[in-house]
């Protein structure tokens, strides 16, 4: 007799080898460009057996492509850094030359409400699924693994944040040109923005830290942007001022115009709040955009800081260690497949029109899978699938791989 | 031409470097020595009124500094030269020309307002740790940072400092014989300065073990990992800031700011969240780092050294109060 554990394991093995095979076939039929100066980059791969292969280097594109076709890795990464000796395993011996500047934006870090509805936590001990807000499983275990789902809200919010980063900060403030920016879908719920500009590539991590602080508004103090008291009257920046000055003016204006009344009352105090209501009605609140801040004379600078810092970009990762400041970081290989979804890490030309659930699909044809437990509705391409519960279904292969990779389905018995 | 005022401009250095030694006047050589000594004593230099003498004494001073080969002197001298340049630059009209000569891309926007490319700004402002210099608190226009004349001068100062430091860091094998006489005099001056600075920086009662380590660092010796760890954890334990500890190490010959910063941050607990305390006196002894004196009686950790003495002092103060 075969025990339950063994059945589970053999199911998992079958899924793995199916995914490996289908990834291999994708790579055999696709020729990936790979990063610029490929011979100077370090590559790293996580295989479906969860073995990490690091410090790999390729002489050229062909070598990389045949590696991919041979191994069909679950996750593929390359170094944003250029090295003299990328194959060396010790950092000191690699000979760091320069590195792309990369920004990582991910819905996970946007503090979205929808996450509480669609994400869950799987118990490592008993396999049960718990709500995202759970601290421990119903069985009492604390070892929970987050199970991430993708919804249109997540994707749209990540997209908006990426557009804001590019338009407001990279193009406008940093003066980077469009052709120097490459955007990639991360393969899951976010985007990677690569800046390929020679002058920026030689920056060390301290200098990159300043760039990150700039876009995330960390350490921003409005007093350096013209917010000051003159003859007992508050004077501030105008909406048309460059950089953070103008942004501060616009943010505060937006805040005063759109915030909930109770929030405003809390920050402004009763008297100012009442004046504000009148100003809102008469439209004279727009005076702020022209630099007239007199209404708010006497409001502490800390309050302004609080309002203004909401205008920064939220980058993925811990705030103190985002990808951008790390000059030795690995990032997903463009055009490779994300092992957690089966989506392509695809280059995005027109962010506005980009639809990851359509444009990042990698597979053709149909595949039969057995859905385990309950899977709520999801969209792939133009079609909505599900909800499913413990049922065998035939799905477009991209949708099938998506469920298999997430562990929501297994392969049917022969 | 007013630019001659600035002795470090590449084209001036180039022009005057070629002068044969035999043509140098005793006065010029003496000016060079004075220049180095002034930098040690006061942290600035004075430009001789004759611009040729200024350039020549600057070049000779660099040779002297390079040949002494002391990291502390290299830093102090290049900072002194840069500070002096800053004093002139901050209110002079020639700032754009100077910038161009030393390869910094500064542009004038309106009268009194300038711009510099973002990446250049980031590199030059890196060592300035003040809120107002953070990029997020600057005005950025299309990849250019807006600056006042004074701020441009401050950035140029940084550029000048790092270039000079690089120049005086080349190894000079044979000290020209006519300079040899000055070297010992300068070294003496240097030792005096190090001692007084070192006293000023870390006041209070310091156990002899730590004094030894600091002295070794200050005199440019390479200290062991254990010594580094001991002194760092001790100073952090005494409430010194990360910056202060880093500046102590800056005179080590193999000073690597990044690495040092990381180590200090690590020991201070800012990276790991766990702050390390200094090794116990027992451990210090096994490393051969203990130099016990009477203040060490009854203590287990170098950090307690200060405690003992202060307690005694306090006690006697209290007593005298009571008595008085
Ligand atoms: S007894 Fe302790 S404090 Fe005194 S010198 Fe030795 S190690 Fe330092
Ligand atoms: Zn459980
Ligand atoms: Zn969502």
């Amino acid at each position: 007799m075969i025990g339950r554990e063994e059945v589970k394991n053999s199911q998992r093995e079958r899924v793995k080898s199916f995914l490996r095979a289908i990834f291999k076939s994708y790579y055999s039929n696709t020729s990936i460009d790979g990063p610029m100066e490929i011979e100077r980059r370090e590559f790293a791969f996580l295989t479906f057996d969860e073995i990490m292969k690091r410090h790999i280097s390729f002489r050229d594109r062909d070598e990389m492509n045949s590696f991919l076709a041979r191994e069909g890795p679950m996750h593929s990464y390359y170094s944003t850094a250029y090295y003299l000796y990328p194959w060396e395993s010790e950092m000191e011996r690699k000979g760091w030359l320069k590195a792309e500047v990369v920004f990582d934006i991910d819905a996970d870090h946007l503090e979205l409400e929808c996450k509480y509805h669609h994400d869950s936590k799987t118990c490592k001990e008993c396999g049960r699924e718990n709500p995202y807000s759970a601290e421990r499983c119903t069985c009492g275990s604390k070892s929970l693994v987050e199970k991430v789902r993708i919804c249109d809200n997540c994707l749209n919010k990540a997209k908006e944040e990426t557009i804001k980063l590019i338009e407001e900060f990279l193009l406008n403030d940093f003066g980077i040109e469009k052709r120097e920016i490459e955007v990639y879908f991360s393969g899951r719920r976010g985007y990677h923005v690569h800046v390929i500009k020679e002058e920026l590539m030689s920056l060390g991590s301290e200098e990159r830290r300043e760039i990150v602080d700039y876009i995330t508004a960390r350490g921003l103090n409005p007093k350096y942007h013209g917010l000051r008291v003159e003859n007992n009257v508050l004077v501030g920046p105008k909406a048309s001022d460059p950089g953070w000055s103008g942004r501060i003016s616009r943010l505060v204006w937006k805040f005063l115009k759109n915030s909930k009344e109770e929030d405003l009352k809390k920050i402004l105090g009763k008297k100012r709040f009442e004046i504000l209501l009148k100003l809102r009605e008469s439209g004279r609140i727009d005076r702020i955009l022209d630099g007239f801040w007199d209404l708010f004379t006497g409001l502490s600078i800390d309050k302004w800081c609080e309002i203004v810092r909401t205008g920064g970009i939220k980058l993925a990762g811990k705030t103190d260690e985002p990808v951008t400041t790390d000059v030795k970081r690995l990032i997903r290989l463009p055009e490779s497949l994300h092992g957690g979804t089966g989506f392509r890490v695809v280059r995005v030309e027109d962010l506005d029109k980009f639809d990851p659930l359509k444009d990042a699909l990698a597979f053709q044809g149909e595949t039969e899978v057995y859905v385990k437990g309950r899977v709520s509705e999801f969209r792939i391409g133009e079609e909505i699938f599900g909800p499913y519960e413990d049922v065998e279904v035939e799905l477009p292969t991209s949708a099938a791989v998506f469920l298999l990779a997430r562990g929501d389905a297994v392969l049917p018995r022969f | 031409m007013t630019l001659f005022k600035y002795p470090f401009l590449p084209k001036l250095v180039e022009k005057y470097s070629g002068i044969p030694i035999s043509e140098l006047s005793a006065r010029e050589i003496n000016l060079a020595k004075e220049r180095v000594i002034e930098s040690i004593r006061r942290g600035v230099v004075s430009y001789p009124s004759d611009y040729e003498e200024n350039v020549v004494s600057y070049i000779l001073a660099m040779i002297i500094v390079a040949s002494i080969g002391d990291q502390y002197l290299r830093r102090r001298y290049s900072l002194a030269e840069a500070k002096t340049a800053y004093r002139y630059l901050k209110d002079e009209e020639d700032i754009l020309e100077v910038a161009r000569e030393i390869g910094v891309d500064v542009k004038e926007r309106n009268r009194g307002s300038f711009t510099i490319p973002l990446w250049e700004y980031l590199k030059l402002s890196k060592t300035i740790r003040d809120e107002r210099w953070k990029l997020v608190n600057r005005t950025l226009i299309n990849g250019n940072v807006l600056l006042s004349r004074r701020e441009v001068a401050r950035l140029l100062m940084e550029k000048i400092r790092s270039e000079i430091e690089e120049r005086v860091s080349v190894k000079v094998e044979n000290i020209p014989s006519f300079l040899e006489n000055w070297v010992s005099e300068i070294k003496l001056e240097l030792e005096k300065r190090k001692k007084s600075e070192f006293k000023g920086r870390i006041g209070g009662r310091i156990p002899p073990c730590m004094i030894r380590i600091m002295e070794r660092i200050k005199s440019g010796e390479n200290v062991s990992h254990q010594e580094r760890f001991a002194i760092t954890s001790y100073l952090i334990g005494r409430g010194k800031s990360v910056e202060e500890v880093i500046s102590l190490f800056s005179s080590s010959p193999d000073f690597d700011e990044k690495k040092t910063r990381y180590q200090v941050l690590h020991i201070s607990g800012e990276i790991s969240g766990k702050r390390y305390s200094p090794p116990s006196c027992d451990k210090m002894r096994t490393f051969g780092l203990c130099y016990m004196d009477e203040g060490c009686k009854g203590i287990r950790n170098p950090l307690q050294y200060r405690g003992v003495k202060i307690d005694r002092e306090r006690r006697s103060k209290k007593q005298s109060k009571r008595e008085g």
Side-chain angles (χ1 to χ4, degrees):
Chain A
M1 235 183 77
I2 309 175
R4 258 176 98 161
E5 261 319 286
E6 282 165 66
V7 172
K8 236 190 210 164
N9 280 340
S10 75
Q11 274 177 348
R12 213 175 296 141
E13 284 309 314
R14 278 185 65 213
V15 170
K16 271 187 197 168
S17 45
F18 172 82
L19 290 174
R20 187 188 295 115
I22 200 164
F23 273 37
K24 275 189 195 178
S25 81
Y26 166 82
Y27 287 118
S28 315
N29 297 316
T30 321
S31 174
I32 289 178
D33 278 346
M36 271 192 284
E37 294 183 49
I38 201 167
E39 71 284 1
R40 295 230 175 284
R41 311 298 189 122
E42 174 195 351
F43 288 78
F45 303 93
L46 188 69
T47 68
F48 276 99
D49 302 320
E50 309 213 4
I51 294 167
M52 191 73 180
K53 301 193 170 178
R54 291 207 54 175
H55 313 298
I56 292 179
S57 70
F58 299 115
R59 250 167 299 154
D60 53 30
R61 213 204 283 181
D62 292 343
E63 204 179 51
M64 175 189 71
N65 277 302
S66 45
F67 179 95
L68 288 167
R70 194 170 64 237
E71 299 276 337
M74 176 157 76
H75 296 290
S76 307
Y77 307 93
Y78 80 101
S79 66
T80 56
Y82 298 64
Y83 298 108
L84 274 175
Y85 316 107
W87 54 86
E88 289 284 355
S89 55
E90 272 167 65
M91 195 43 78
E92 290 79 55
R93 311 183 74 175
K94 277 190 188 303
W96 188 89
L97 296 168
K98 58 180 181 179
E100 296 168 20
V101 173
V102 179
F103 301 93
D104 179 4
I105 289 179
D106 194 299
D108 290 17
H109 297 271
L110 298 179
E111 287 154 34
L112 300 175
E113 272 295 309
C114 59
K115 171 171 170 164
Y116 290 89
H117 304 305
H118 55 63
D119 282 8
S120 58
K121 285 179 180 163
T122 311
C123 176
K124 268 191 176 168
E125 307 271 320
C126 70
R128 228 178 301 216
E129 241 180 91
N130 299 278
Y132 181 74
S133 53
E135 297 271 324
R136 50 171 75 219
C137 174
T138 40
C139 80
S141 162
K142 267 191 169 173
S143 51
L144 302 173
V145 204
E146 281 184 33
K147 194 169 190 179
V148 162
R149 292 205 168 74
I150 303 175
C151 84
D152 280 327
N153 184 50
C154 288
L155 291 171
N156 286 335
K157 285 283 154 50
K159 188 193 269 189
E160 276 168 30
E161 197 75 356
T162 309
I163 291 175
K164 181 164 136 198
L165 167 71
I166 295 173
E167 305 267 314
E168 273 198 40
F169 290 94
L170 300 186
L171 297 179
N172 248 326
D173 290 7
F174 293 168
I176 292 166
E177 286 177 50
K178 255 207 168 99
R179 59 174 169 79
E180 296 165 325
I181 299 173
E182 289 176 9
V183 183
Y184 295 93
F185 175 54
S186 74
R188 216 184 57 159
R189 300 204 290 207
Y191 294 92
H192 297 158
V193 179
H194 298 231
V195 178
I196 320 258
K197 188 180 178 75
E198 212 50 52
E199 290 95 328
L200 293 178
M201 291 229 222
S202 62
L203 296 181
S205 53
E206 269 177 78
E207 292 101 310
R208 288 169 200 236
R209 162 98 267 162
E210 287 297 305
I211 291 186
V212 168
D213 286 353
Y214 188 93
I215 63 168
T216 57
R218 193 162 115 146
L220 174 65
N221 189 336
K223 91 172 179 215
Y224 299 112
H225 292 283
L227 194 66
R228 68 199 180 275
V229 178
E230 241 170 50
N231 303 324
N232 294 324
V233 169
L234 188 69
V235 187
K238 297 193 286 290
S240 58
D241 287 343
W244 265 108
S245 302
R247 191 169 297 116
I248 287 172
S249 170
R250 296 187 299 270
L251 274 169
V252 171
W253 174 78
K254 212 169 107 191
F255 175 80
L256 296 174
K257 238 182 127 115
N258 304 338
S259 297
K260 287 192 213 113
E261 299 206 342
E262 63 253 41
D263 291 346
L264 285 168
K265 214 186 277 174
K266 223 188 287 158
I267 288 197
L268 297 175
K270 205 168 164 238
K271 223 171 107 199
R272 282 199 204 90
F273 172 71
E274 273 158 17
I275 305 177
L276 173 72
L277 284 186
K278 283 195 202 116
L279 288 185
R280 263 191 183 178
E281 274 165 36
S282 66
R284 291 202 23 250
I285 185 142
D286 296 359
R287 277 161 58 79
I288 279 202
L289 297 174
D290 298 324
F292 297 102
W293 295 54
D294 39 13
L295 163 65
F296 307 102
T297 307
L299 199 63
S300 83
I301 209 91
D302 288 349
K303 291 269 199 278
W304 291 117
C305 293
E306 217 177 284
I307 299 175
V308 155
R309 288 196 188 126
T310 58
I313 297 282
K314 293 192 187 65
L315 292 176
K318 290 187 220 130
T319 26
D320 47 335
E321 259 324 310
V323 176
T324 316
T325 59
D326 192 343
V327 295
K328 297 153 192 168
R329 191 64 167 247
L330 296 167
I331 194 135
R332 273 182 197 282
L333 177 65
E335 295 302 329
S336 70
L337 297 175
H338 188 299
T341 58
F343 294 151
R344 273 159 66 215
V345 179
V346 61
R347 169 95 183 254
V348 181
E349 298 289 352
D350 185 346
L351 201 49
D352 271 321
K353 291 202 191 98
F354 182 73
D355 175 6
L357 297 183
K358 194 168 92 200
D359 301 327
L361 305 184
F363 308 107
Q364 261 103 51
E366 267 83 43
T367 300
E368 252 176 59
V369 293
Y370 180 80
V371 178
K372 284 193 311 185
R374 227 193 91 82
V375 167
S376 43
E377 265 183 17
F378 63 97
R379 177 174 72 86
I380 291 283
E382 305 292 349
E383 262 181 279
I384 308 273
F385 299 94
Y388 300 119
E389 190 164 0
D390 294 316
V391 62
E392 207 172 296
V393 279
E394 193 186 57
L395 294 171
T397 301
S398 288
V401 168
F402 180 60
L403 292 185
L404 290 169
R406 265 182 4 182
D408 279 338
V410 292
L411 293 162
R413 303 190 145 262
F414 325 69
Chain B
M1 191 177 124
T2 64
L3 276 191
F4 284 172
K5 188 163 59 216
Y6 303 104
F8 48 81
L9 298 184
K11 62 179 181 197
L12 289 182
V13 174
E14 202 180 306
K15 182 169 166 198
Y16 287 94
S17 294
I19 299 180
I21 290 169
S22 56
E23 280 176 32
L24 294 172
S25 69
R27 190 183 142 75
E28 281 165 331
I29 297 173
N30 197 51
L31 279 173
K33 182 198 77 175
E34 289 305 324
R35 199 173 183 117
V36 179
I37 289 190
E38 195 186 358
S39 79
I40 298 173
R41 284 194 185 144
R42 297 180 48 229
V44 283
V45 300
S46 310
Y47 288 172
S49 51
D50 180 274
Y51 79 80
E52 258 189 30
E53 281 180 353
N54 190 16
V55 181
V56 173
S57 67
Y58 162 76
I59 296 170
L60 284 175
M62 283 206 297
I63 298 175
I64 297 175
V65 172
S67 57
I68 289 179
D70 180 282
Q71 173 67 5
Y72 176 82
L73 176 61
R74 288 197 284 253
R75 300 196 131 220
R76 188 152 176 92
Y77 174 72
S78 34
L79 185 61
E81 285 286 351
K83 262 191 199 158
T84 310
Y86 170 73
R87 289 187 177 175
Y88 288 104
L89 284 169
K90 72 183 190 329
D91 1 74
E92 301 235 355
E93 289 300 318
D94 49 19
I95 197 163
L96 279 179
E97 275 172 273
V98 174
R100 191 178 328 120
E101 290 291 331
I102 60 175
V104 180
D105 181 14
V106 182
K107 292 200 175 61
E108 188 157 19
R109 228 166 88 88
N110 311 308
R111 261 193 81 74
S113 99
F114 300 84
T115 62
I116 178 172
L118 165 67
W119 41 93
E120 192 130 41
Y121 176 85
L122 289 176
K123 283 182 183 161
L124 293 178
S125 66
K126 192 165 82 173
T127 47
I128 314 176
R129 301 197 180 278
D130 186 281
E131 200 191 24
R132 102 167 30 245
W133 287 90
K134 271 193 79 61
L135 187 64
V136 71
N137 289 325
R138 310 299 318 191
T139 302
L140 260 179
I141 309 169
N142 244 296
N144 293 297
V145 181
L146 200 63
L147 297 167
S148 68
R149 180 187 302 275
R150 192 176 268 266
E151 287 168 336
V152 173
R154 181 66 185 81
L155 290 183
L156 293 185
M157 169 180 153
E158 186 47 37
K159 173 83 173 178
I160 294 162
R161 190 199 62 70
S162 63
E163 299 261 297
I164 295 179
E165 197 177 323
E166 200 173 300
R167 277 168 183 272
V168 295
S169 297
V170 294
K171 268 222 174 74
V172 177
E173 292 298 344
N174 296 311
I175 307 168
S177 57
F178 66 96
L179 288 178
E180 237 164 46
N181 300 332
W182 305 124
V183 169
S184 57
E185 192 183 334
I186 290 168
K187 276 189 174 159
L188 216 67
E189 202 61 48
L190 189 60
E191 286 318 308
K192 260 200 256 164
R193 173 72 212 172
K194 278 185 187 171
K195 281 225 176 77
S196 72
E197 178 165 333
F198 150 71
K199 257 197 227 132
R201 237 186 252 170
I202 304 132
R205 309 261 177 217
I206 307 158
C209 51
M210 297 299 166
I211 291 195
R212 290 273 176 140
I213 301 176
M214 283 193 281
E215 275 171 355
R216 272 162 52 71
I217 294 173
K218 279 286 158 202
S219 59
E221 286 175 59
N222 259 326
V223 293
S224 71
H225 175 69
Q226 280 137 357
E227 287 170 286
R228 273 170 176 270
F229 177 82
I231 191 66
T232 304
S233 50
Y234 173 77
L235 291 174
I236 295 284
R238 288 269 324 255
K240 295 289 157 194
S241 71
V242 168
E243 292 313 315
E244 283 172 299
V245 180
I246 292 172
S247 77
L248 168 73
F249 286 112
S250 66
S251 49
S252 303
D254 56 350
F255 178 64
D256 174 342
E257 167 147 11
K258 248 191 182 156
K259 224 166 127 187
T260 306
R261 181 173 298 278
Y262 181 81
Q263 286 169 346
V264 176
L265 280 172
H266 186 76
I267 292 171
S268 73
E270 281 188 44
I271 293 176
S272 54
K274 178 183 167 223
R275 192 211 261 188
Y276 290 84
S277 48
S280 65
C281 294
D282 274 349
K283 265 232 181 86
M284 292 289 284
R285 259 165 241 138
T286 61
F287 294 152
L289 296 174
C290 171
Y291 295 90
M292 201 189 284
D293 69 7
E294 83 281 8
C296 298
K297 259 195 207 110
I299 66 168
R300 294 235 187 93
N301 189 291
L303 271 180
Q304 294 169 322
Y305 187 84
R306 173 168 147 261
V308 172
K309 285 233 161 160
I310 280 186
D311 273 0
R312 271 185 209 148
E313 273 167 12
R314 254 197 224 132
R315 224 175 290 148
S316 58
K317 247 186 223 157
K318 262 188 206 157
Q319 253 164 19
S320 59
K321 245 190 205 163
R322 229 177 285 146
E323 282 158 14

